[in-house]
Amino acid sequence: MHIEVISSVNEARADRFTHRTAIVIDVLRATSTMITALQAGAVSIYPVETVLEARTLQRQGYMLAGERFCRKIPGFELGNSPNDFTPEVVQGRRIVLTTTNGTRAVHKAMRADFVLSAALLNATACAKAAIELRRDVVLLCAGCHDDFALEDGLCAGLIIDRLKALSSSSVGIDDFGTAMLGLYHSSKECVAERLTASSSGKRLIKMGFGRDIESCAQLDTSGIVPKLQGDMIIVG
Ligand code: MLT
């Protein structure tokens, strides 16, 4: 198995996904939110790129969720805080999600044979699922506004660590992936601190979303692996 890591959405050329399994990572917060929503019983998540697109789906019974500048979009039922996606709120619901980077990253990866969503919450489950899909793997760090985000790289390193440990075939890793594996190894005792000190973490704390960082910093608390089927994300 060969593993590549793409540092941000900006670097994500479509041809890098062909014949691969793509793993999209947006730890703070879009993919953590997807995992939490499906874990809480949401039926599916429809990732869309624009607010307008999301609004046109409201009449079809979708629950609208998402953020711009980290805040809930006016008229939407939910923002992008994983803590808001409780069973009471989302069980049995179909959700439309639009976020600044995470849902855009899912769209960029659509050329892949399979598209999974990962965060710290489901890293090991996601690595296992990727191995079962028997393709080379490309990890797409969503990043923030076309720049690399440390928390996504750390999560990529963790998934590579798990892929190496669990794969029965030999694993080759590109140079950026090797660097992210090193980042994970040097950070594994202080994951929450790394998230808090990252640019995205600081921004979320400033905006009053510090609790979300605690939730997103949990390692392997979920066996849910969101998987794209057509244009919907469902439990894989
Ligand atoms: C995004 O997709 O840009 C992020 O998840 C932003 C956020 O934390 O809400």
Side-chain angles (χ1 to χ4, degrees), residues 28 68 78 100 113 124-125 136-138 149 170 203 227 230 234:
L28 295 175
R68 287 297 179 269
L78 292 169
T100 319
D113 284 358
T124 300
D136 288 337
V137 170
V138 57
S170 68
R203 186 175 327 104
K227 186 175 179 190
I234 56 167

Side-chain angles (χ1 to χ4, degrees), residues 40-104:
V43 174
S44 59
I45 299 169
Y46 191 175
V48 302
E49 294 197 68
T50 69
V51 172
L52 191 64
E53 231 180 312
R55 288 212 166 103
T56 58
L57 290 160
Q58 193 165 29
R59 272 193 233 112
Q60 295 174 31
Y62 283 95
M63 174 178 248
L64 303 195
E67 57 71 37
R68 287 297 179 269
F69 306 104
C70 300
R71 297 211 184 280
K72 182 157 85 83
I73 298 160
F76 278 36
E77 283 165 81
L78 292 169
N80 190 28
S81 283
N83 291 309
D84 293 345
F85 290 70
T86 60
E88 295 71 33
V89 177
V90 301
Q91 193 151 42
R93 299 296 305 268
R94 295 179 304 149
I95 297 170
V96 177
L97 182 68
T98 181
T99 73
T100 319
N101 306 287
T103 51
R104 200 155 65 93

Side-chain angles (χ1 to χ4, degrees), residues 109-153:
M110 278 183 176
R111 166 103 47 115
D113 284 358
F114 304 101
V115 181
L116 310 178
S117 298
L120 298 171
L121 303 176
N122 72 344
T124 300
C126 190
K128 280 186 191 154
I131 289 167
E132 280 167 21
L133 293 170
R134 296 177 178 278
R135 298 283 190 287
D136 288 337
V137 170
V138 57
L139 293 146
L140 171 56
C141 299
C144 191
H145 300 294
D146 294 338
D147 281 335
F148 172 67
L150 185 106
E151 66 281 4
D152 295 340

